[in-house]
Amino acid sequence: MEEALIEEMVEEILLRLPPDDPPSLVRAAMVCRRWRRIISDPGFRRRFGRCHSAAPVLGLLANLRDGDGLDDDFDFVARFVPTTPFRPYFPDNRDRCALDARHGRVLLTMAPLPPALGDPFSWNAAVLCAGHDACSHFDCHLGPFFVVLLDSNTEQMRVHLYSSEAEASQPTYGPPSPLDGVETLPTALVGNSLFFLIYASQSILEYDLATRNMSVIPLPPEQYVDFAVLMAMEEDGRLGFARLANSTLFIWSMERSPEGHAGWALIAAIDLETLLPVDVFSISEDYVGFAHGVGVFFVPMLEERLIFSIDLYSGRVRVEDCSDGRTHGVVPYTSFYTPDFRQYSVAPV
């Protein structure tokens, strides 16, 4: 009885280790066999996630291109840039470009595209857990998943739903295809809907994962999609839209009327230059990154190796160094990480 109580107390302590410092769990697991067994248990991983609610940003997938400090054999690479002590074994994904990251997974471009697409004029894709509407996402990264691909290769935009457990479904056709195509910017998942930015029509495509219906939502008046980001508003579960203009980050929240019509309300205008150190380079408007679930924006500097992360909730500002390479866009990677030492032996203490 006493031993069980001690083990329960140890687990309560371990559950409170910071999720943005994965090595702390590794060090704890090396203390003794009991601690290793607790941390390696799948139930501990689920409880760890519930204890901390939102998964931390472990790093960024930075898209580098055109031999920027890379070998000449590769045109581009998706490089993992850590924002915590977490380090993957292979940080570079050669000849790949990161499109999306969600529920512990990263979606990278592949060549060739699925045969059913032919050679689409423009397209974008998203990845999500197959149980997105019923899963807590604390420990589902090894389970089934969906890839949702939108393309404008036909007169009407069409969505392909790919499952890790089944063949691709028949495409769903929606509104007319835009002349200038679909933006390859990370999507937003809000409730049961995925949202894609559409360039030519200055609009957003909403795809309902349950009904497979599509609808078009206009952007806020006089707003262009260049350097913009779609976001899930954590406070009220609504869709958000943000863009940079003259070093100011403008944020809108979507509101629906009782009849279902979409409108926008400007909820924030943040002067980023007042948040950044006085000795940094000017802000670039080439892209904006956003980490869903934790409210962190990633803003590039004109000195293209540097990216600043800005936490909307705490106001904390940090510099992230992409090292050698010019960054053309980032995809934040958020996930819980707990080690599994069940296959290794650790001497008892």
Side-chain angles (χ1 to χ4, degrees):
M1 182 69 177
E2 181 179 348
E3 183 176 346
L5 181 60
I6 292 175
E7 185 159 318
E8 183 177 335
M9 293 174 61
V10 168
E11 180 173 344
E12 287 298 319
I13 295 172
L14 295 174
L15 287 172
R16 284 158 176 77
L17 290 175
D20 57 354
D21 184 22
S24 64
L25 281 172
V26 176
R27 292 191 295 269
M30 300 299 292
V31 169
C32 63
R33 290 180 177 177
R34 176 186 293 174
W35 288 26
R36 178 195 62 182
R37 184 180 67 251
I38 293 172
I39 292 173
S40 298
D41 184 81
F44 176 85
R45 293 197 289 273
R46 291 190 291 271
R47 291 189 290 274
F48 188 77
R50 286 194 294 268
C51 181
H52 295 282
S53 182
V57 183
L58 295 181
L60 307 171
L61 273 297
N63 292 320
L64 313 176
R65 284 190 258 171
D66 299 330
D68 299 328
L70 307 173
D71 297 337
D72 293 338
D73 294 339
F74 301 96
D75 293 329
F76 54 91
V77 64
R79 171 172 297 162
F80 186 89
V81 178
T83 58
T84 68
F86 174 78
R87 299 291 190 276
Y89 286 116
F90 304 104
D92 282 0
N93 295 275
R94 298 286 186 172
D95 203 19
R96 294 289 185 268
C97 180
L99 286 178
D100 197 31
R102 187 176 289 106
H103 302 156
R105 300 174 181 85
V106 175
L107 182 63
L108 304 172
T109 57
M110 297 180 64
L113 291 174
L117 293 180
D119 185 18
F121 168 65
S122 70
W123 60 280
N124 195 13
V127 64
L128 67 155
C129 167
H132 61 92
D133 56 346
C135 182
S136 61
H137 308 304
F138 296 137
D139 190 31
C140 65
H141 61 281
L142 298 179
F145 63 91
F146 291 143
V147 171
V148 181
L149 191 148
L150 169 69
D151 84 272
S152 61
N153 200 36
T154 55
E155 292 184 0
Q156 293 175 283
M157 285 185 286
R158 57 182 179 176
V159 170
H160 308 257
L161 181 65
Y162 296 91
S163 169
S164 61
E165 295 186 316
E167 296 293 330
S169 63
Q170 291 296 317
T172 302
Y173 289 85
S177 293
L179 295 176
D180 292 338
V182 176
E183 283 286 336
T184 53
L185 295 172
T187 60
L189 176 65
V190 181
N192 213 42
S193 293
L194 270 172
F195 295 87
F196 297 81
L197 273 172
I198 309 300
Y199 180 76
S201 57
Q202 304 280 316
S203 60
I204 297 168
L205 180 79
E206 177 180 3
Y207 175 69
D208 190 305
L209 291 157
T211 65
R212 304 198 181 179
N213 292 332
M214 284 181 268
S215 58
V216 173
I217 301 169
L219 290 182
E222 301 180 0
Q223 298 303 317
Y224 298 92
V225 299
D226 293 358
F227 325 128
V229 64
L230 295 175
M231 50 194 287
M233 307 294 290
E234 301 304 319
E235 299 87 351
D236 52 19
R238 299 179 182 179
L239 176 68
F241 171 83
R243 71 178 294 261
L244 270 176
N246 300 320
S247 299
T248 299
L249 183 67
F250 295 94
I251 304 175
W252 286 264
S253 177
M254 190 181 74
E255 300 178 342
R256 292 190 188 271
S257 68
E259 295 77 23
H261 302 301
W264 296 93
L266 181 64
I267 60 173
I270 304 171
D271 184 354
L272 298 183
E273 291 189 343
T274 64
L275 300 178
L276 302 179
V278 295
D279 57 345
V280 303
F281 290 86
S282 298
I283 294 171
S284 170
E285 297 184 358
D286 284 350
Y287 60 86
V288 183
F290 182 72
H292 300 275
V294 292
V296 177
F297 279 96
F298 295 90
V299 179
M301 300 291 103
L302 286 179
E303 206 292 324
E304 293 158 332
R305 294 185 304 108
L306 300 181
I307 299 172
F308 274 89
S309 63
I310 302 170
D311 190 317
L312 290 181
Y313 304 133
S314 68
R316 185 179 68 173
V317 177
R318 287 180 26 168
V319 62
E320 316 294 349
D321 192 344
C322 288
S323 187
D324 56 338
R326 180 180 179 184
T327 306
H328 296 263
V330 297
V331 177
Y333 177 72
T334 60
S335 181
F336 290 106
Y337 174 79
T338 57
D340 185 350
F341 285 96
R342 286 174 294 179
Q343 58 181 319
Y344 301 106
S345 61
V346 179
V349 176

